[in-house]
Amino acid sequence: MVNRSDIHYFGAGPAPLPTAVLEKASSVLLNYKDKGIGLCEISHRSPEANEILEDAKKALSTLLDIPEDYEVLFLQSGGTGEFSAVVYNLVSIWVEKKRAKIAAELSSSSDSEEAKKAEVVNRLRKVVDEELKLDYLVTGSWSLKASQEAARLVGAKHVNIAADSRQVNNGKFGNIPAESEWKLTPRGSGGPALVYFCDNETVDGVEFPAFPQSLEGDDAPLVCADMSSNFISRKVDVRKYAVIFGGAQKNIGNTGIAIAIIRKSLLPPISTPATPDLMRELNLSVGPIVLDYPTIAKNNSLYNTLPIFDVWIAGQVMAGLVDTYGVKKIGGQEEISNDKARMIYDTLDKYPDVYRVVPDKSVRSRMNICFRVHGGDSEKEKAFLAGAEKHGLLGLKGHRSVGGIRASNYNAVSIEGAKCLVTYLEEYAKA
């Protein structure tokens, strides 16, 4: 029988979870707080469920120093669902702002209210046609998919690919263009409805080293960042973002939920989205209610049946980090993540005749370490993976779309696990 302690799992997601959390989960699945029923059986509207939600929010807010003017939402449909949600929600806010401005301009007109309303829609239709833009920084497979989903929802003419890494990297992902080369929608005309980037590309091993300077400033656009695979692995200045989202199944928990951190100024009563009728009149998509941020926020993430067990797992993982790192908060985990990544990359770089790290050194992901063995020789890479498995190192096969090797260095991968991988890399290179 293989013991859990004998295995080090580097899968990209679902990813490993802390053993202590899983051991506690095995107990609460059978009997939660001595109620005689398990956690998966309690009502999502019970006091216990609300307590689980609040505890998870508190832990995340503590780790990332989330300001009070931000809301934390738990949703289903994963990170991919959020590709759609950010478009539905932020485009409707952009449209309503434009409508309100046009309506104010026509307020002194002597025309009837019906005539004014018709004129507002006519002008708004022209504004949407000529000005609506969503900026996407395409730096890997997931940001590409996000841009494609935006084009599917609002039309390709409204999606501006402000940067495409493949254009500076021989047609492949593995770098991030210099900000001076980005073609962002000018802010002077009102700017884009959103600027989207994926902070860490799981498939391609590319991570933004820092928040883009181009998106700083008092007139900064609404920035949406997919942090699915580097959530709670480093410090984040939440105030620079309109929306941060991520699937839980990498660093935070198990598959089943996504977490969104949203600036409250984008929610009622401060901000009002365009009505569904107006959006339809403008031939723009109306999103499903389960992806509507105002609805989810109003109902404390409980508009529909939320998988409370998944939220509990996420809360336990995050609370464990709070207890472990204390005043360092997420900075403590960042130090560990950086040390593990440095250890692995240093070993790979030590043997350039055997290993080749795929992304450029300036944008190497700390979370997803992508490399090739002997230039990508398929038989030798199969042998490498087979040897790794014999050493108890699992989940190292690269994504099916790119192949190669990928060691996902998530929070639950221990220092010991990283050292075991380094030992195998050394042995393989010297064999």
Side-chain angles (χ1 to χ4, degrees):
M1 179 178 177
V2 178
N3 293 318
R4 182 176 177 87
S5 59
D6 296 330
I7 296 298
H8 298 288
Y9 185 60
F10 295 89
L17 288 164
T19 298
V21 171
L22 292 177
E23 289 173 341
K24 191 174 180 181
S26 68
S27 174
V28 302
L29 275 172
L30 290 174
N31 193 346
Y32 184 67
K33 288 195 170 182
D34 204 29
K35 292 177 67 67
I37 61 173
L39 184 53
C40 287
E41 300 164 296
I42 69 170
S43 169
H44 65 298
R45 302 199 186 280
S46 65
E48 291 82 6
N50 276 278
E51 182 182 35
I52 289 168
L53 269 169
E54 289 309 307
D55 287 347
K57 286 183 182 181
K58 182 180 178 181
L60 180 59
S61 297
T62 299
L63 286 172
L64 296 185
D65 285 318
I66 298 176
E68 290 187 1
D69 55 344
Y70 279 76
E71 185 70 61
V72 176
L73 304 181
F74 295 87
L75 310 99
Q76 297 174 65
S77 79
T80 300
E82 291 305 295
F83 294 170
S84 308
V86 295
V87 174
Y88 289 134
N89 286 278
L90 297 189
V91 168
S92 69
I93 290 172
W94 185 93
V95 168
E96 174 55 24
K97 286 182 177 179
K98 295 293 184 180
R99 186 210 63 79
K101 181 180 179 181
I102 295 170
E105 292 171 353
L106 294 173
S107 61
S108 60
S109 170
S110 59
D111 292 342
S112 67
E113 290 304 312
E114 283 300 314
K116 287 181 184 178
K117 183 178 179 180
E119 180 62 15
V120 166
V121 173
N122 285 336
R123 290 193 187 185
L124 185 57
R125 187 176 288 113
K126 186 173 186 295
V127 167
V128 168
D129 183 62
E130 295 178 355
E131 297 181 20
L132 176 60
K133 292 294 180 185
L134 289 71
D135 286 1
Y136 280 77
L137 306 177
V138 176
T139 56
S141 301
W142 288 113
S143 50
L144 175 61
K145 287 186 177 182
S147 70
Q148 291 169 337
E149 174 65 357
R152 190 181 73 85
L153 294 176
V154 299
K157 67 174 287 186
H158 296 301
V159 175
N160 171 42
I161 305 301
D164 187 337
S165 292
R166 294 168 296 183
Q167 295 178 358
V168 297
N169 198 52
N170 299 316
K172 295 181 179 181
F173 293 122
N175 209 335
I176 297 176
E179 292 190 41
S180 59
E181 299 176 13
W182 295 1
K183 296 179 175 61
L184 295 165
T185 299
R187 301 181 194 180
S189 62
L194 63 90
V195 177
Y196 176 99
F197 69 93
C198 181
D199 204 41
N200 184 82
E201 292 281 2
T202 319
V203 172
D204 306 283
V206 170
E207 185 175 30
F208 277 81
F211 186 84
Q213 292 185 348
S214 303
L215 306 181
E216 301 262 15
D218 293 337
D219 61 342
L222 298 179
V223 177
C224 305
D226 175 1
M227 293 188 181
S228 292
S229 53
N230 66 352
F231 231 152
I232 62 170
S233 73
R234 67 179 181 183
K235 294 178 182 178
V236 174
D237 186 349
V238 174
R239 290 192 181 278
K240 294 182 177 181
Y241 300 84
V243 179
I244 295 171
F245 71 82
Q249 69 277 11
K250 312 285 188 180
N251 266 331
I252 296 180
N254 56 303
T255 304
I257 56 168
I259 300 175
I261 305 170
I262 300 169
R263 195 179 290 156
K264 287 182 179 178
S265 62
L266 299 175
L267 299 170
I270 304 172
S271 179
T272 304
T275 65
D277 285 345
L278 177 58
M279 295 293 282
R280 280 190 287 268
E281 201 166 355
L282 298 171
N283 294 318
L284 291 171
S285 297
V286 176
I289 198 73
V290 293
L291 296 181
D292 184 66
Y293 291 154
T295 299
I296 303 303
K298 180 181 178 182
N299 288 275
N300 190 31
S301 299
L302 296 171
Y303 177 76
N304 59 329
T305 307
L306 189 69
I308 289 298
F309 175 73
D310 301 335
V311 179
W312 181 88
I313 289 283
Q316 291 293 307
V317 170
M318 294 186 290
L321 294 178
V322 172
D323 292 341
T324 297
Y325 297 115
V327 295
K328 283 188 174 182
K329 301 180 182 178
I330 205 59
Q333 180 60 54
E334 182 174 14
E335 291 174 5
I336 299 296
S337 297
N338 291 348
D339 286 345
K340 290 187 296 175
R342 188 181 306 112
M343 188 189 313
I344 297 169
Y345 279 123
D346 284 350
T347 307
L348 293 171
D349 289 339
K350 186 177 174 182
Y351 301 100
D353 293 337
V354 180
Y355 306 118
R356 178 180 61 83
V357 177
V358 175
D360 186 79
K361 196 168 187 176
S362 63
V363 296
R364 287 178 176 178
S365 169
R366 300 163 306 118
M367 295 289 102
N368 306 104
I369 299 169
C370 298
F371 60 98
R372 305 308 298 255
V373 175
H374 290 294
D377 183 289
S378 60
E379 292 305 314
K380 289 182 178 180
E381 289 189 336
K382 286 180 183 178
F384 175 89
L385 292 169
E389 189 167 345
K390 291 178 181 178
H391 284 71
L393 306 169
L394 305 183
L396 288 167
K397 187 176 182 180
H399 191 272
R400 63 186 181 279
S401 65
V402 295
I405 314 297
R406 173 176 56 178
S408 292
N409 177 39
Y410 296 137
N411 291 354
V413 173
S414 64
I415 287 282
E416 179 191 358
K419 288 180 178 178
C420 286
L421 176 57
V422 164
T423 297
Y424 175 63
L425 291 171
E426 292 270 5
E427 289 178 0
Y428 181 88
K430 294 175 180 178

